[in-house]
Amino acid sequence: MHVVPGLKVLYFGTPVVLISSRNENGTANLAPMSSAWWLGQHCVLGLGGSGQTTANLLRERECVLNLPSSGMVEAVDRIAMTTGRRDVPERKAAQGYRYVADKFALAGLTEQASDMVSPPRVAECPIQMECRVLAHHPVEGPSVRAAAIHVEVLRTHVEESLVIPGTHHVDPLGWDPLIMKFCEFFGGGENVHPSRLAEGWKMPHLDAAPS
């Protein structure tokens, strides 16, 4: 039997992406997100309309999409409730977001120079995609002010051990991406770490869900 629960969010399960971009003063910003999907060498990113990352992408027109493995969940969670915007939007502040100037340092991650774009890669991420922004589409409604940003992947870096020898393909058995489902972290089908984001968004605790 199906029901109509009036779902608050539709995050059914997508890979976490750490987007690195350049701030106006030249420093690096790093933001976790999971509303991303790919077609060929293109990707569409769903981002909040008032965030620092969105502003950086629209101004600089480039970024790096870094894909963390499930083993990097603690680093990702450390920056989940942070923003690179000094004047934290009122709605975000009410949820518990705070301004952090150096999110690489807070996460314990390392900047790695990119080949084709200005923003750095995340050295610890097994997959890194250097991108340029092609288009921006506002997404607005009664309860949302967001942006769909279309980027082209210029170069993809992959940890050598994840490449099937003699091919141009990633080993799907070796690659264990960090997945976000309804604001919770998963890897290999298991919940891998408590989520600050789930707390900020007041999601039900996992132990309250029916088994």
Side-chain angles (χ1 to χ4, degrees):
M1 179 181 71
H2 290 77
V3 298
V4 182
L7 294 177
K8 181 180 179 181
V9 294
L10 302 177
Y11 298 158
F12 295 103
T14 46
V16 171
V17 181
L18 291 176
I19 302 182
S20 48
S21 60
R22 284 288 180 199
N23 295 315
E24 198 166 14
N25 64 3
T27 60
N29 186 54
L30 188 65
M33 58 87 75
S34 61
S35 296
W37 56 276
W38 286 262
L39 280 174
Q41 298 298 309
H42 295 257
C43 181
V44 176
L45 308 169
L47 294 167
S50 62
Q52 185 67 26
T53 296
T54 300
N56 288 349
L57 266 60
L58 296 184
R59 184 186 63 253
E60 304 294 331
R61 313 297 293 183
E62 57 185 18
C63 65
V64 180
L65 307 181
N66 305 276
L67 301 186
S69 67
S70 64
M72 295 177 61
V73 63
E74 291 186 21
V76 174
D77 189 58
R78 280 195 287 270
I79 59 172
M81 296 296 290
T82 65
T83 176
R85 181 172 164 176
R86 287 182 179 274
D87 55 329
V88 182
E90 184 177 343
R91 180 182 62 82
K92 280 194 169 184
Q95 289 178 300
Y97 282 82
R98 61 191 175 93
Y99 166 69
V100 172
D102 189 347
K103 290 197 270 183
F104 270 90
L106 179 62
L109 298 174
T110 309
E111 294 187 28
Q112 181 179 18
S114 296
D115 295 340
M116 305 180 71
V117 299
S118 173
R121 294 176 281 154
V122 177
E124 291 81 1
C125 284
I127 299 176
Q128 313 151 331
M129 288 165 277
E130 301 183 36
C131 304
R132 66 177 174 184
V133 175
L134 296 183
H136 161 240
H137 307 280
V139 179
E140 297 183 353
S143 61
V144 63
R145 178 172 173 262
I149 298 179
H150 173 195
V151 303
E152 179 185 13
V153 178
L154 304 176
R155 177 165 293 174
T156 301
H157 306 261
V158 182
E159 178 64 39
E160 186 176 7
S161 63
L162 292 178
V163 179
I164 298 174
T167 77
H168 302 287
H169 297 278
V170 169
D171 178 1
L173 294 178
W175 170 229
D176 182 24
L178 180 60
I179 300 293
M180 175 153 281
K181 293 191 290 186
F182 296 101
C183 296
E184 298 284 358
F185 293 118
F186 285 80
E190 302 289 335
N191 180 229
V192 293
H193 195 273
S195 170
R196 288 182 172 93
L197 189 67
E199 292 182 11
W201 284 82
K202 295 181 170 54
M203 300 297 286
H205 290 294
L206 289 180
D207 56 11
S211 59

